Amino acid sequence: MADPTSPKQDVMKVLKKATEDCEDKDLKEMFDMNIGDYDSLNEYAIKVFDAMANDTLAEEAKELFKPRAESAVLPDVAVYTVVIWACICSSKIKAAHNVYQCMIDNGVAPTSCTYIILINTLAKNSSSDVNFVGYAKKYFLEMLDKGMKPPSSSYMAVFRAIARREPVEKAKEFLEQIQAKGFSPKLDVPHFDVAYMEEAMKALKMSDVLINATPDKKLQKLYRKWSTTRKPLRDEFPKMFKALKADGNYDQAMELYRRGWDTNIIPEVVLHTGVIEDCLEAGNTECALKAYRTMLATGVAPNSYTYTVLIKGLTTDPNFCGDAKRCLLEMMERGMRPNAAAYTAVIEGFAKQEDKVAEEECKQLVEVMMGKGFVPNAKAMMEVLKGKPKTVIRRVMDIVLSKLKG
């Protein structure tokens, strides 16, 4: 009669093969502590399954952990994948890849789950090893050759890694390879095009550029948020488009739409403006101004909506009225016409100071605006000022009308 414990022993033999070449002391200790016997391994595997299922890999995890029909124990591929997962959780990416290669050497075929975990990890950590992006691309193509469809997360992770580590030509080459194998991403992620690949790659590595462009930790956190999650960008894009159209800036609105449509990448101006808005909503005016300066420093031109958001936000703090005025004039120098909300906010900011010097500075501003061919619309300003204290309305209109009449 066969020993009833032998299937479990077989599993532990597989585990031994998966871990025997590990030379990292910390990993060895972790293996002994968490997966040193079958029960510990099985318990750890359950945790890994739960983590995968919560990370949109539920079906892939079910396939991976489907027990052997004849013995109801973990299949060999699950054992190797659990060890790979453990290495990744310990930030030992090379060790994880070594385990994968050991799995292949021992004739164990990876499942889609194994591939996805490895591809995403290698791609996301490509900055630490120049070879990782090559492996990520290789395994993505292997998935397609085996009839597996990589998820959007892997598709985007690989292209981000290419953007960081390789020239645009490599991105075009990879795109042609996956298209030749019949791969088409889901509609909710960018569909890259060879003709616009350079712009797309620039946008994908924007997070790295921005984080390196500023030492401000709060800004770095916001840049990561806006660069790595789609929802804020999806919300900000239509909001900006509608606002530009509402103000009559049809050319800017259509340029925004065209760039988004042609490249399938949200334009960089949307990301920067979103960060500025986040800063202002948090009451951090100085942070918003820093975000604006970073935007200019990285070569991204603001549009009318960006200026309107920034100018109105700056005027909420009397210490930044001078900056709001400079942004208003800069906007006009770039050939953009401020809407009533923007220029009224600046004039109101100076009027609220109830100071003769501030009043004269504001009158000079109105003169400069008129000298540039822009005449404030008194009726539109009254609409903006509705509900404000009468004393404020009077001071604002006195400043403007004194110049209009003159």
Side-chain angles (χ1 to χ4, degrees):
M1 182 180 292
D3 184 350
T5 63
S6 60
K8 294 183 179 180
Q9 290 173 346
D10 289 341
V11 169
M12 296 311 292
K13 287 178 182 177
V14 174
L15 176 65
K16 184 177 179 181
K17 286 182 182 178
T19 59
E20 63 185 358
D21 291 333
C22 177
E23 298 177 354
D24 188 286
K25 182 181 177 182
D26 294 335
L27 267 183
K28 281 182 174 293
E29 288 180 1
M30 188 273 294
F31 290 151
D32 291 340
M33 185 179 301
N34 293 324
I35 53 178
D37 57 73
Y38 184 83
D39 289 339
S40 298
L41 173 63
N42 202 48
E43 185 177 336
Y44 189 79
I46 293 170
K47 292 178 181 177
V48 173
F49 175 88
D50 289 340
M52 290 177 179
N54 291 332
D55 194 30
T56 70
L57 291 175
E59 293 306 313
E60 291 85 353
K62 288 177 184 177
E63 173 199 12
L64 173 67
F65 287 102
K66 186 177 180 180
R68 296 178 189 171
E70 75 282 1
S71 57
V73 295
L74 287 170
D76 293 358
V77 65
V79 177
Y80 277 102
T81 306
V82 164
V83 176
I84 290 170
W85 181 279
C87 293
I88 292 169
C89 289
S90 298
S91 299
K92 308 292 184 179
I93 313 304
K94 284 187 179 179
H97 189 236
N98 289 340
V99 174
Y100 172 79
Q101 291 176 319
C102 175
M103 178 177 79
I104 301 303
D105 291 343
N106 282 285
V108 179
T111 67
S112 59
C113 195
T114 315
Y115 273 125
I116 293 166
I117 292 166
L118 197 61
I119 290 167
N120 291 3
T121 300
L122 290 169
K124 289 174 183 176
N125 290 274
S126 61
S127 58
S128 64
D129 191 311
V130 69
N131 296 308
F132 283 176
V133 64
Y135 287 130
K137 290 192 292 184
K138 175 185 175 183
Y139 301 141
F140 194 100
L141 293 170
E142 278 185 17
M143 283 190 77
L144 296 176
D145 288 337
K146 293 181 179 181
M148 304 174 187
K149 182 164 183 179
S152 299
S153 62
S154 299
Y155 165 76
M156 289 304 299
V158 172
F159 270 103
R160 283 198 178 93
I162 296 171
R164 291 187 181 112
R165 302 290 292 181
E166 297 186 332
V168 174
E169 287 70 27
K170 290 291 185 180
K172 293 178 180 179
E173 178 185 294
F174 183 67
L175 179 63
E176 289 169 350
Q177 288 174 329
I178 63 176
Q179 287 177 339
K181 294 178 185 295
F183 178 81
S184 179
K186 291 183 178 180
L187 294 175
D188 62 344
V189 296
H191 288 222
F192 299 112
D193 187 287
V194 170
Y196 298 98
M197 189 60 78
E198 187 169 351
E199 188 170 356
M201 291 299 99
K202 182 183 176 186
L204 284 179
K205 61 183 178 183
M206 182 52 60
S207 173
D208 297 339
V209 172
L210 292 175
I211 289 167
N212 292 330
T214 176
D216 190 295
K217 298 298 182 184
K218 290 180 182 177
L219 266 184
Q220 288 179 355
K221 186 176 180 181
L222 284 173
Y223 288 138
R224 284 193 186 93
K225 168 192 165 185
W226 280 83
S227 301
T228 58
T229 59
R230 296 283 298 169
K231 187 177 184 302
L233 290 175
R234 282 199 303 265
D235 291 346
E236 186 71 12
F237 184 87
K239 183 168 69 171
M240 179 180 286
F241 179 75
K242 290 175 184 176
L244 287 170
K245 284 183 67 179
D247 281 341
N249 296 305
Y250 298 108
D251 288 346
Q252 291 182 53
M254 294 317 296
E255 173 64 12
L256 184 78
Y257 181 81
R258 183 199 65 76
R259 289 183 63 202
W261 179 265
D262 287 346
T263 65
N264 293 298
I265 293 285
I266 301 292
E268 295 161 49
V269 65
V270 180
L271 182 153
H272 286 276
T273 306
V275 171
I276 290 169
E277 283 187 292
D278 268 7
C279 293
L280 293 171
E281 287 172 9
N284 197 334
T285 314
E286 186 174 356
C287 184
L289 197 55
K290 285 181 181 177
Y292 169 69
R293 288 168 180 159
T294 301
M295 178 181 190
L296 298 180
T298 53
V300 179
N303 59 27
S304 294
Y305 180 73
T306 310
Y307 276 119
T308 301
V309 166
L310 180 62
I311 290 166
K312 289 170 65 179
L314 291 172
T315 58
T316 61
D317 186 331
N319 296 315
F320 290 90
C321 278
D323 294 297
K325 182 187 82 170
R326 281 189 288 276
C327 289
L328 182 69
L329 293 174
E330 184 182 296
M331 178 184 185
M332 296 175 68
E333 285 166 6
R334 288 176 180 260
M336 304 177 205
R337 294 179 68 83
N339 62 17
Y343 63 77
T344 302
V346 177
I347 296 170
E348 181 186 352
F350 280 101
K352 279 182 175 179
Q353 295 180 38
E354 299 183 38
D355 177 84
K356 197 68 179 174
V357 174
E359 182 181 322
E360 287 303 314
E361 184 178 351
C362 194
K363 286 180 179 179
Q364 289 174 12
L365 169 62
V366 176
E367 281 184 5
V368 172
M369 291 170 65
M370 293 173 67
K372 293 179 180 292
F374 184 88
V375 180
N377 186 321
K379 185 177 179 181
M381 291 181 69
M382 289 298 293
E383 282 295 315
V384 174
L385 292 167
K386 268 185 179 178
K388 298 291 177 77
K390 289 182 180 180
T391 53
V392 172
I393 296 174
R394 189 180 302 114
R395 281 198 296 270
V396 169
M397 298 313 298
D398 283 348
I399 290 171
V400 174
L401 293 174
S402 70
K403 294 301 172 183
L404 292 180
K405 290 175 181 178

